[in-house]
Amino acid sequence: MDEGPPSSAPAGPPSLSLPPIVRFAITGVGNSVVGFAVLLLALRFGFSDIAANLTGFAAGLLLGFIVNRQWTFAVEGRVNLGEVLRYLAGFALAWLLNIAVVMAGIRAGHAGSPLIHLAGIVTYSLAFFFISRSFVFAPRPAAAAATPTQDLMGECIVVPAAALLMLVMRHLPLTHDVIWQLWIARQMLGGVELYSQINEINPPLWFWMAMPLHRIAAALALPAPTILVWFIVLLALASALLVGRIGRFEGPRERAFAMTATLIIGLFTSLYDFGQREQILLIGAIPYALLMAARIRGERPPMVLALAIGLLAAPGFALKHYFVIAPLGLEALLVWHMRAAWRPLRPETLALAALGGAYALAVITLAPAFLTVMVPMVKAAYFGFETPVWMWFDEPIQAFWLLILLAFVAAGAHRSLRARPEYQVFALCALAFLAAYLLQRKGWQYHAIPVSGMLLMLLASLGFAHGQRLADLRARPLVGLIIAMYLSFSFLERPYDNEREPFIGRFVDQTPAGSAVLIMASNPMWGWPAVEHRHRVWASRYGALWMLPAFGRARTDRTETAALLALQQTVRRENYTDMICAAPGLILIENNEPNFLTRPINFDTLAFFAQDKPFADYLTANYRQIDDGFYLRAYLRTTPIPARRPDGCRPVVPPFGTE
């Protein structure tokens, strides 16, 4: 953004003869009507008082900034970062005063009443006027010649769209992996230690990121999944806004298209896997790629902008070690273009290095068991999840990759690859994320999200890259058709829906709410999110017994190692410990798993654990079998739960929704 401060206009139309407080009041009435309407709608949808209040004010925030800046206080010149920050700070202060009034009304016994929100709006309006006049839009000495008001078409599209999506998507179903992420974060907030009391193969960053979301959810009296959805939407909005600042566009329409494409692709590349780590990676990588394109062109973006882009991208790159291929590849591309002019110390690289170093130090000091316990365990047994190569390319998504590349070539864009840095960075990121997809050797479709997203951005850049106009994209209907087809497929795939949940639910529902459930299965979809949705205690330290396929495969192939045999003993012992600590009302044991084709069909999970005599004796003495189906054996507890738990058990954190 421009660094020059705004200046007051010397003259204006007749309406400016009105006193500023009158113009502010007129603007405020309009904002209040809009905000109050949104607030009532939010209350109708079941939002809490605080959440509904915040939603209403957020809806009018952008409108208020534009109208008050251009009409109420007659500010000229381009919008600058300092002005935006002052406006946000002033809004926050006035909103906090409004919340104080609302909280007072709630404590006085008027919870849910629109009147307390009206009182808050009045307080907010008066406070914000004086803050705006004396601090946000106060006349300042001109540091540069006045420039035309910045075009905000892109912001006027993506900000209201994001606000609407936050409202519409607040109950979006989340995958078993994301629910497991939130469960772990809640356990850690309750005093449970990750990796020593919870067995999780992934590094801790993703779970640390979820901990403040739980805090926010508690403060707003909203479910943590809703806050996570909002967090992802806000990340995508931040990505779109940064794209609008770092890109070099031929006009306002191209800029608005780039921002809108970033928001849509960031959120809807895979609606089914919403909230996965790969989505966070994609959202942060898009503006980072365009920052590299700007540097390839020889531009020197403002330090604050480059730093903000680096800070947004860094967490995504750090979520898996495979992901660092992308920033390293982009840096190599920049070196190739800049040669002797390349400089490694830049705001974005310093942000990546600082956050990456801090994260590595945090893992070593705060989660050393990840390195000493989990990494050896993964090395010994995670190969059981590897799938045949043909399964990496057996989904419609991979067909779309080919269609996108064919459309890019058919449009003749490949001939401009050397002249369009945007094409280069998006294509390179797609290749880097494809390498990460292949290195993980699973073929799971959420691993493909960043590949698909970058290919979509490559195709969309035909309408916004420097030197390209939106009309160029409209002249290539095949390109628009492929993008529309992909996004339509994402929506037709629908949000996450675990088809096993009703089957599991009929067993879980036979236990009292708040009781423990132990599911001994290699696939997390047997237990997640069914147990969490039904407010039961998850008894195991394992989200799933992910090592069982490796045990079965190694036994069949006669390739059992000493490390694998030792791990088998550890898993039996820890499973028995979890069982006697939780005294579950229900135990489900996997018979067969339909999805893992690499797991030998003759692996008997019950027989494997029954080799541990204490487990077999405890199961026989305290449970009766109620079902012996093809996929699962089910056991209900027949004896009372002991009043005292054994020593050394992990803390019991109340199930979601029962805190």
Side-chain angles (χ1 to χ4, degrees):
M1 293 185 178
D2 251 5
E3 295 299 328
S7 59
S8 297
S15 62
L16 294 184
S17 62
L18 295 172
I21 193 169
V22 175
R23 297 197 297 270
F24 189 87
I26 294 172
T27 303
V29 168
N31 283 347
S32 297
V33 170
V34 172
F36 192 55
V38 172
L39 186 150
L40 290 176
L41 183 62
L43 286 174
R44 184 177 182 85
F45 275 97
F47 279 43
S48 69
D49 290 284
I50 301 302
N53 189 279
L54 177 60
T55 303
F57 280 112
L61 186 61
L62 177 63
L63 177 64
F65 177 79
I66 296 173
V67 176
N68 281 320
R69 187 180 191 277
Q70 296 185 355
W71 184 56
T72 304
F73 299 103
V75 176
E76 293 185 347
R78 296 185 68 181
V79 177
N80 62 73
L81 180 61
E83 187 178 35
V84 173
L85 293 177
R86 291 195 303 272
Y87 183 80
L88 293 175
F91 166 77
L93 179 57
W95 184 78
L96 288 174
L97 292 173
N98 139 77
I99 284 296
V101 173
V102 174
M103 292 297 294
I106 293 173
R107 289 191 173 93
H110 301 293
S113 171
L115 295 178
I116 62 173
H117 298 288
L118 283 175
I121 287 173
V122 172
T123 303
Y124 163 86
S125 299
L126 291 175
F128 202 19
F129 169 75
F130 291 106
I131 293 171
S132 298
R133 187 180 66 174
S134 60
F135 175 61
V136 179
F137 300 116
R140 284 172 168 74
T147 58
T149 301
Q150 180 187 15
D151 190 287
L152 296 176
M153 181 189 300
E155 285 82 355
C156 290
I157 293 173
V158 298
V159 173
L164 179 62
L165 288 171
M166 289 175 69
L167 180 63
V168 172
M169 298 172 63
R170 64 193 182 89
H171 292 313
L172 183 73
L174 299 176
T175 72
H176 50 276
D177 283 347
V178 177
I179 297 298
W180 169 246
Q181 173 207 15
L182 293 172
W183 181 86
I184 287 181
R186 195 172 74 249
Q187 303 305 302
M188 289 193 290
L189 290 172
V192 180
E193 295 182 4
L194 184 60
Y195 305 122
S196 59
Q197 295 177 310
I198 299 174
N199 183 292
E200 167 53 42
I201 62 175
N202 287 288
L205 179 59
W206 197 39
F207 309 102
W208 288 345
M209 291 170 66
M211 294 174 72
L213 301 183
H214 272 291
R215 298 288 193 192
I216 296 171
L220 297 178
L222 287 171
T226 296
I227 300 302
L228 187 141
V229 170
W230 288 357
F231 171 68
I232 298 296
V233 173
L234 290 175
L235 281 182
L237 174 61
S239 179
L241 294 175
L242 290 172
V243 163
R245 301 305 306 164
I246 194 59
R248 189 173 179 185
F249 308 105
E250 295 300 309
R253 291 185 178 181
E254 288 72 22
R255 179 175 181 270
F257 174 67
M259 295 171 68
T260 304
T262 300
L263 182 68
I264 293 174
I265 291 171
L267 291 177
F268 301 120
T269 296
S270 178
L271 186 61
Y272 182 90
D273 290 304
F274 194 92
Q276 278 283 9
R277 288 150 292 177
E278 281 74 6
Q279 183 180 26
I280 297 173
L281 166 69
L282 172 63
I283 288 171
I286 292 173
Y288 192 87
L290 286 176
L291 173 60
M292 293 299 101
R295 294 206 182 277
I296 289 171
R297 286 193 296 267
E299 299 174 9
R300 300 186 64 181
M303 182 183 68
V304 173
L305 178 60
L307 182 63
I309 291 174
L311 292 174
L312 181 69
F317 291 142
L319 283 169
K320 291 183 181 180
H321 60 283
Y322 303 104
F323 296 164
V324 300
I325 298 173
L328 291 177
L330 289 171
E331 202 65 27
L333 179 65
L334 185 62
V335 171
W336 186 78
H337 277 281
M338 303 297 292
R339 307 297 170 93
W342 174 74
R343 296 292 181 269
L345 299 181
R346 307 186 305 274
E348 67 275 16
T349 57
L350 292 175
L352 295 188
L355 290 182
Y359 177 43
L361 182 62
V363 172
I364 294 171
T365 57
L366 301 179
F370 173 72
L371 301 174
T372 59
V373 176
M374 294 311 307
V375 171
M377 188 180 292
V378 169
K379 287 182 178 179
Y382 203 50
F383 68 88
F385 270 80
E386 294 177 359
T387 57
V389 175
W390 66 266
M391 292 184 66
W392 306 352
F393 301 98
D394 66 340
E395 297 285 344
I397 292 299
Q398 284 74 43
F400 274 110
W401 294 353
L402 182 60
L403 287 175
I404 289 171
L405 292 176
L406 290 175
F408 186 79
V409 173
H414 62 291
R415 291 190 289 269
S416 304
L417 190 62
R418 295 179 64 88
R420 298 279 188 271
E422 293 89 347
Y423 297 172
Q424 297 174 34
V425 295
F426 288 139
L428 189 144
C429 282
L431 285 174
F433 294 141
L434 176 61
Y437 175 77
L438 298 177
L439 287 171
Q440 293 178 83
R441 302 179 62 85
K442 307 294 188 304
W444 296 340
Q445 290 310 293
Y446 71 83
H447 289 172
I449 290 173
V451 184
S452 302
M454 282 300 176
L455 287 175
L456 288 171
M457 288 301 299
L458 173 65
L459 211 53
S461 66
L462 270 65
F464 68 76
H466 181 54
Q468 297 288 128
R469 289 198 171 273
L470 193 55
D472 299 329
L473 187 61
R474 290 198 295 266
R476 300 181 175 99
L478 177 62
V479 172
L481 177 63
I482 296 298
I483 295 175
M485 285 175 59
Y486 183 97
L487 294 174
S488 297
F489 171 79
S490 179
F491 281 98
L492 289 173
E493 193 180 24
R494 299 176 302 172
Y496 178 79
D497 180 24
N498 188 341
E499 68 277 4
R500 306 182 191 205
E501 185 164 351
F503 177 74
I504 293 294
R506 67 187 180 94
F507 296 114
V508 176
D509 290 341
Q510 296 182 47
T511 64
S515 61
V517 174
L518 177 64
I519 299 183
M520 300 161 56
S522 57
N523 191 331
M525 293 181 70
W526 283 123
W528 298 91
V531 173
E532 185 77 349
H533 283 170
R534 285 163 172 78
H535 313 303
R536 302 310 196 266
V537 173
W538 183 258
S540 178
R541 71 189 64 204
Y542 300 96
L545 296 169
W546 53 268
M547 67 294 297
L548 296 188
F551 294 164
R553 176 191 274 184
R555 180 177 300 175
T556 300
D557 298 341
R558 301 183 184 276
T559 56
E560 290 176 308
T561 63
L564 200 64
L565 292 172
L567 180 57
Q568 291 179 18
Q569 296 296 330
T570 298
V571 170
R572 292 191 190 101
R573 183 181 67 253
E574 291 180 343
N575 183 75
Y576 173 68
T577 299
D578 291 341
M579 183 169 64
I580 62 173
C581 282
L586 172 70
I587 297 177
L588 297 176
I589 303 177
E590 183 178 69
N591 266 343
N592 294 284
E593 167 50 47
N595 281 346
F596 296 143
L597 301 184
T598 58
R599 179 180 171 184
I601 197 69
N602 61 353
F603 184 83
D604 190 325
T605 302
L606 178 60
F608 170 80
F609 283 99
Q611 294 178 48
D612 181 52
K613 190 174 184 301
F615 167 84
D617 292 344
Y618 189 90
L619 184 67
T620 301
N622 295 280
Y623 294 86
R624 66 179 176 88
Q625 187 170 354
I626 61 172
D627 194 81
D628 187 10
F630 179 77
Y631 293 123
L632 294 171
R633 296 182 177 101
Y635 298 83
L636 273 180
R637 190 175 187 93
T638 58
T639 59
I641 296 176
R644 185 177 182 276
R645 303 171 74 219
D647 295 333
C649 296
R650 74 170 188 264
V652 176
V653 179
F656 174 74
T658 64
E659 300 92 333

